Amino acid sequence: MLDKKVSELLNQQINKELYSAYLYLDFSNYFEGRGLNGFANWYYIQAQEERDHAMLIYRYLQNNNETVTLEAIAKPDKVLESDMGVLKAGLEHEQYVTSLINDIYAAAYDVKDFRTMQFLDWFVKEQGEEETNANDMISKMELFGSDPKGLYMLNSELAGRVYSAPSLVL
């Protein structure tokens, strides 16, 4: 049986991950409207990843005989006004999600819930990768985004991203 606070935080994280999926679908929609289908693809796949993160936590709670409580998912609240603004909002959001994962990890640590800590290890690593990817996109946009040919190449690179489901074993 999971600690009550840890269980509540994990339940809340399901909602946060689903919100992340909504947010990234909104980002994808923004880029699609700009004719940048590679950027749209990148964020569409990002949305799929976030949904899967929610489902991993959902399954973990169920496997630990915890009740999953699904709440309403908030409408994305970011104002999307520029390509760089969207990329920076993505980094900011990933940093926020990292802080949430760290909070759950700390709560599990406080009650010596080593099984949940081990489960969260994958998410800690994943968040490091997410922040690196977001930073890389910003760097590339700073380097190449103001040049139409550079933006075309970057967009083409992002169009090549394919979805790969997480391989975390519960």
Side-chain angles (χ1 to χ4, degrees):
M1 187 165 151
L2 295 179
D3 174 75
K4 182 177 176 162
K5 180 179 179 184
V6 171
S7 179
E8 287 173 2
L9 289 171
L10 286 167
N11 259 293
Q12 291 169 13
Q13 191 62 30
I14 292 170
N15 184 273
K16 301 294 185 185
E17 297 291 340
L18 292 172
Y19 171 80
S20 297
Y22 268 33
L23 181 64
Y24 290 144
L25 281 176
D26 200 32
F27 288 8
S28 179
N29 191 45
Y30 166 84
F31 282 116
E32 195 68 45
R34 291 260 301 117
L36 294 169
N37 64 332
F39 284 84
N41 175 64
W42 200 90
Y43 279 110
Y44 182 81
I45 290 173
Q46 200 63 22
Q48 290 177 299
E49 282 190 8
E50 302 303 339
R51 182 204 60 220
D52 282 351
H53 295 170
M55 297 311 297
L56 288 170
I57 298 167
Y58 174 89
R59 179 61 60 207
Y60 180 77
L61 285 170
Q62 287 188 332
N63 287 347
N64 282 279
N65 298 315
E66 293 293 321
T67 301
V68 174
T69 305
L70 300 175
E71 300 291 340
I73 301 166
K75 179 180 177 181
D77 60 351
K78 302 290 183 191
V79 177
L80 310 178
E81 297 178 326
S82 71
D83 300 345
M84 183 61 84
V86 173
L87 299 181
K88 287 184 176 180
L91 173 60
E92 178 184 293
H93 185 72
E94 288 301 338
Q95 290 168 333
Y96 168 67
V97 172
T98 297
S99 75
L100 296 172
I101 297 296
N102 289 344
D103 290 346
I104 303 168
Y105 201 101
Y109 178 82
D110 287 345
V111 295
K112 298 182 178 172
D113 181 352
F114 302 113
R115 182 177 48 214
T116 298
M117 290 166 55
Q118 183 180 28
F119 169 71
L120 291 171
D121 283 342
W122 182 87
F123 287 90
V124 170
K125 181 178 181 274
E126 176 71 8
Q127 282 310 120
E129 292 172 7
E130 298 289 11
E131 287 186 32
T132 296
N133 289 338
N135 270 313
D136 287 350
M137 286 183 66
I138 290 168
S139 295
K140 288 177 181 180
M141 182 63 93
E142 288 172 344
L143 288 169
F144 310 115
S146 62
D147 173 56
K149 289 179 186 173
L151 183 60
Y152 175 81
M153 295 293 287
L154 182 54
N155 187 62
S156 296
E157 175 187 326
L158 296 175
R161 184 180 187 198
V162 295
Y163 181 67
S164 178
S167 59
L168 180 64
V169 177
L170 302 175

